[in-house]
Amino acid sequence: MEDKLIRLAQKGDKKAMEKLLQRNYPILKGYLLKITRNEALSDDLTQEVMVRAIMKIHKYKPRGKFSTWLITIGTNLFRDKIRKDKRLVFDDSITKDESTNSLEDQVMIKESIRDINSIIQKFPEEKRMVFILKHYYGYRYDEIAGIMDCPIGTVRSRLHYCIKEIKNHVKDVDDDG
């Protein structure tokens, strides 16, 4: 179904393009919110990615998911933004609400997410992006390498660093408690 929408969008079908963007908007927005930790910036970047996707749909080559292409564009825009503006402000309180769980479950989930978010927010951007792509969105190593424009070994190394840091943090908390 997505392949058909892509072909139609590449031929200039505006409805197909609109459907593609609507279907992939939550994935892109969620990713950008997690890596930027800034609601306004993630909104701006999401809109910019959407505009670029519309303008460059004819260049899209279906090697992976359409959302992967959008995330790649978003990652590059975020990197450019960081290089240009060192004064970016990040919000440490962003969490996802899971309304389908009981109140107790929601509290436990929010605490766990908050703990992990507080740890990964301290990671350098490149490591944080790899962690989010793998563990929040389930991308494979080769897909992440394509998005990040780096070798698979670098992806593995960055993930190893992240997991080690999280384990160290959990161990420190357990030792203190």
Side-chain angles (χ1 to χ4, degrees), residues 19-154:
K19 281 184 183 178
L20 268 175
L21 295 178
Q22 284 176 343
R23 287 181 180 180
N24 289 284
Y25 181 88
I27 295 167
L28 176 66
K29 172 70 173 157
Y31 169 72
L32 290 171
L33 188 57
K34 285 178 182 76
I35 66 166
T36 65
R37 302 179 322 246
N38 180 306
E39 186 90 35
L41 178 58
S42 68
D43 287 342
D44 291 347
L45 289 172
T46 301
Q47 292 308 311
E48 194 168 340
V49 170
M50 294 296 177
V51 169
R52 288 194 183 193
I54 292 167
M55 293 171 45
K56 298 182 185 259
I57 187 65
H58 61 282
K59 292 184 177 184
Y60 174 71
K61 305 274 189 274
R63 289 181 218 129
K65 296 181 223 165
F66 187 74
S67 61
T68 303
W69 184 59
L70 295 175
I71 285 174
T72 302
I73 295 169
T75 298
N76 291 333
L77 287 172
F78 179 60
R79 286 176 173 161
D80 291 345
K81 194 75 147 169
I82 289 173
R83 278 191 288 270
K84 290 176 185 170
D85 189 355
K86 300 293 182 189
R87 300 167 293 145
L88 289 174
V89 177
F90 299 110
D91 180 2
D92 294 346
S93 65
I94 295 170
T95 59
K96 183 178 179 192
D97 182 26
E98 296 287 341
S99 58
T100 58
N101 296 314
S102 72
L103 182 58
E104 185 178 332
D105 289 344
Q106 286 181 36
V107 170
M108 295 302 290
I109 289 168
K110 283 185 178 183
E111 275 302 308
S112 298
I113 290 171
R114 201 170 299 135
D115 288 347
I116 291 173
N117 281 342
S118 70
I119 297 166
I120 66 173
Q121 287 169 7
K122 295 175 182 135
F123 295 165
E125 284 82 15
E126 301 295 312
K127 290 181 173 117
R128 186 172 65 247
M129 285 184 227
V130 168
F131 183 85
I132 290 168
L133 287 168
K134 178 67 177 162
H135 294 288
Y136 284 72
Y137 292 94
Y139 281 99
R140 298 184 320 260
Y141 293 120
D142 60 327
E143 292 173 319
I144 297 169
I147 291 169
M148 301 295 295
D149 193 28
C150 67
I152 291 177
T154 302

